[in-house]
Amino acid sequence: MPLTIPSVFPGQQVFSKFPSRRSVVHSTKGIVSCSQSLAAKCGIEVLEAGGNCADAAVAVAAGLNMTEPCSTGIGGDMFCLFYDAKTKKVSAMNGSGRSGNKCTLETIRNSLGLKEGEFGKIPMASVHAVSVPGAPAGWVDTVERFGSGKVTLQQVLAPAIQLGEKGFPVAEGVAYWWNKSSPQIRTASPNGSEMLKKDPSAQDGARAPRAGEIMKNPTLAQTFRALASEGKKGFYTGRIATELVKVVQDLGGHLELDDLAHHLETGSEPVSPISLKFRGQNVRDLLKDSVLGGAGDQDVGLELWEHPPNGQGIVALMALGIIQELEALGRIPTFEPADFNTAPYLHAIVESLRIAFADARWFVTDPNVSKVPTDALISQPYLASRAALFDAGKASQLVSHGSPALQSSDTVYFAVSDSEGNAISFINSNYGGFGTCIIPRGCGFTLQNRAANFSLEAGHPNVLAPRKRPYHTIIPAAVTNLHDGSLHSVYGVMGGFMQPQGHVQVLLGQVVGRLTPQQALDAPRVCIGAEGKGDRTVYVEEGMPEETVLGLRKLGHEVEVVTGMGRAQFGRGQIIRWSVDPIENIGVWSAGSDPRGDGGAYPL
């Protein structure tokens, strides 16, 4: 008889046993870059069936819900940026859900037992952290607004449905987080066994699946079938909606069927992306010789596009803008490739991010409820004034509204491109891990805990209010070339408040460090954190040069080196770049995928 699955994984699981090498992946037809190979296959199948990158992205999102439910799902939210090759236009869509109509500040504070004037937050595991899922409408709207029109929603969701019904082998990283979350899955609702592997020898006949074992989720497949056949109504009305509201109310929550009907009616929101033109750090010298037909006197540089508030993409734009102003003012040098990940280089990034977070954590909220001064925050005069707070010789002690960069959060970011030159930057999330771990009976998914990110402080712009969207961590990014608006890349780094920090580090890695897309993702990263005043903590990923660590400490940063599975806090990114073979005049997609994840980049 053959050996069983445990023989493949004989040792204790570690984050990365040995340094490994990945090459940039190329294709002329399209690429899916994501954290699970089986989910990538879902997208590839849709591309092969004639769908475009948007159609394939929804297939990947559904596949990731099946294969990586510890990060994402239909019970969460999504955002996307779509680059249309014909118009050279970047479009954005906000697929985040809202709080319930009865979720007033007074109601939730009373439900949490908070006294008047007492500081408090919504716990991540609380039923009051559940907001209306925006992902189901977002998936449908992505296909309808950006899709090819050549494939149906049934075709798009079919590969993920097959994974749920026939089963799939579980990846190593997912198995670790699934096992870690299994106690909460068991206790969060009466329906925890739906998302555990059936095993007669286990407690209550079910347990978390182990790496390589087959996991089935037929109830999630049924949920996908309802969405595929009925559209949004299949989720926001009927059996699924009833079970969702029932489990929330049974646990003391305040969502009602009318809240789901409201989201069905409003749908996902088309919004205008925000951007910053970046001409710093010798980016012209980097790109000028690669401009097809010659650069001449064209404006050679990059434009970084982000999703607007209630998303936190503005943090990346502000930080990059502050770095650009610091260079223009002579406060930091034009860094050379040898300066990449040195202490002075990272000091500039860290301090710029601290300044950006100080503003964003106060101002970023639902712009449909409270005014957000988006244009002013990324204007050159304001960024120059904020750059004045930088001290090249020491870490700052900013009195701010806080930068909660180390709150636990799990998300999936992925990128898809197609043979027509279109690309989509797509992100879907439960917020923290499996979210609340609350499962509506017979539905096979967990409910997100995004409402935990509301403030419970009266007068705060991000304060909880009925039918409001909270400060949102998930942010897709895209980059275009300044000289002609052509696509440079779609990319992102998943992981809560790490995301804008990853966006800045990965983009500058390619510009300053002259790194390939894969190398930019391989490089060790830093993460700033903690709420409060004057926090100087910098979390540095294992693998950063020791002289960099010592240099940051000399500047006054309180450095903590993060090792092992803790390195997950630095996020997992994906990049797809676009370029043209100058002799053949054929476009080429070139992708990198983060080694911190289970997946990779897969060509069509």
Side-chain angles (χ1 to χ4, degrees), residues 182 184-196 198 206 215 217 219 239 242-248 250-251 437-447:
S182 61
Q184 187 181 347
I185 294 173
R186 292 180 184 278
T187 59
S189 70
N191 312 311
S193 62
E194 288 188 31
M195 294 191 66
L196 296 172
K198 291 176 174 55
M215 178 67 188
N217 193 339
T219 54
R239 179 187 70 85
T242 299
E243 293 295 344
L244 191 160
V245 170
K246 182 179 186 303
V247 72
V248 168
D250 286 351
L251 293 169
C437 289
I438 296 170
I439 302 170
R441 184 173 63 90
C443 297
F445 64 85
T446 56
L447 296 173

Side-chain angles (χ1 to χ4, degrees), residues 298-331:
Q298 295 183 85
D299 185 9
V300 178
L302 299 174
E303 186 165 7
L304 174 60
W305 298 84
E306 296 278 358
H307 201 284
N310 56 318
Q312 64 171 346
I314 196 169
V315 174
L317 299 184
M318 290 182 69
L320 195 65
I322 290 169
I323 289 169
Q324 184 164 244
E325 292 303 319
L326 289 173
E327 182 187 11
L329 293 167
R331 304 284 299 282

Side-chain angles (χ1 to χ4, degrees), residues 201 217 219 235 323 375 422 500 510 526 544 603:
S201 65
N217 193 339
T219 54
F235 186 94
I323 289 169
D375 292 341
N422 307 308
Q510 295 169 84
V526 297
M544 194 69 74

Side-chain angles (χ1 to χ4, degrees), residues 271-574:
V271 292
S272 298
I274 56 177
S275 68
L276 181 128
K277 294 178 172 62
F278 186 72
R279 301 179 178 89
Q281 297 299 321
N282 270 343
V283 67
R284 178 181 173 83
D285 287 345
L286 171 67
L287 300 176
K288 65 180 182 180
D289 293 336
S290 299
V291 175
L292 200 62
D297 59 358
Q298 295 183 85
D299 185 9
V300 178
L302 299 174
E303 186 165 7
L304 174 60
W305 298 84
E306 296 278 358
H307 201 284
N310 56 318
Q312 64 171 346
I314 196 169
V315 174
L317 299 184
M318 290 182 69
L320 195 65
I322 290 169
I323 289 169
Q324 184 164 244
E325 292 303 319
L326 289 173
E327 182 187 11
L329 293 167
R331 304 284 299 282
I332 62 172
T334 300
F335 292 109
E336 299 293 331
D339 297 316
F340 177 74
N341 273 359
T342 60
Y345 171 83
L346 290 177
H347 177 64
I349 291 176
V350 164
E351 293 298 297
S352 298
L353 284 164
R354 280 187 176 141
I355 295 167
F357 268 124
D359 282 334
R361 279 301 283 169
W362 180 257
F363 290 111
V364 173
T365 185
D366 187 343
N368 295 327
V369 178
S370 303
K371 181 176 175 56
V372 181
T374 301
D375 292 341
L377 289 170
I378 55 176
S379 68
Q380 188 275 330
Y382 183 75
L383 293 173
S385 71
R386 296 299 276 168
L389 297 172
F390 174 78
D391 188 332
K394 63 180 181 180
S396 63
Q397 289 184 314
L398 290 176
V399 178
S400 70
H401 293 286
S403 169
L406 295 192
Q407 289 185 12
S408 172
S409 178
D410 288 282
T411 299
V412 290
Y413 170 82
F414 56 92
V416 184
S417 60
D418 61 37
S419 60
E420 300 298 318
N422 307 308
I424 192 165
S425 188
F426 199 108
I427 197 156
N428 206 115
S429 177
N430 295 326
Y431 190 30
F434 281 88
T436 58
C437 289
I438 296 170
I439 302 170
R441 184 173 63 90
C443 297
F445 64 85
T446 56
L447 296 173
Q448 65 180 351
N449 47 14
R450 185 61 62 178
N453 214 23
F454 277 118
S455 169
L456 296 182
E457 176 188 349
H460 194 292
N462 190 42
V463 67
L464 173 67
R467 296 209 169 139
K468 184 177 181 181
R469 290 164 162 162
Y471 178 119
H472 228 290
T473 57
I474 63 175
I475 50 169
V479 182
T480 55
N481 296 303
L482 278 180
H483 67 276
D484 67 348
S486 61
L487 185 68
H488 175 273
S489 57
V490 286
Y491 82 111
V493 178
M494 60 194 90
F497 292 90
M498 176 63 202
Q499 292 179 55
Q501 304 183 57
H503 284 197
V504 172
Q505 292 176 69
V506 169
L507 182 60
L508 287 180
Q510 295 169 84
V511 173
V512 173
R514 304 296 199 260
L515 304 179
T516 68
Q518 186 59 55
Q519 291 169 341
L521 293 169
D522 291 343
R525 298 197 273 263
V526 297
C527 176
I528 63 171
E531 298 193 39
K533 300 177 180 180
D535 180 59
R536 294 184 173 190
T537 308
V538 179
Y539 295 82
V540 175
E541 189 174 15
E542 179 183 23
M544 194 69 74
E546 181 62 26
E547 63 181 313
T548 296
V549 173
L550 294 174
L552 289 172
R553 285 177 174 151
K554 287 180 180 178
L555 287 165
H557 297 285
E558 297 176 6
V559 178
E560 293 188 23
V561 178
V562 181
T563 62
M565 296 302 290
R567 291 170 60 192
Q569 80 176 50
F570 297 101
R572 296 166 296 153
Q574 316 291 338

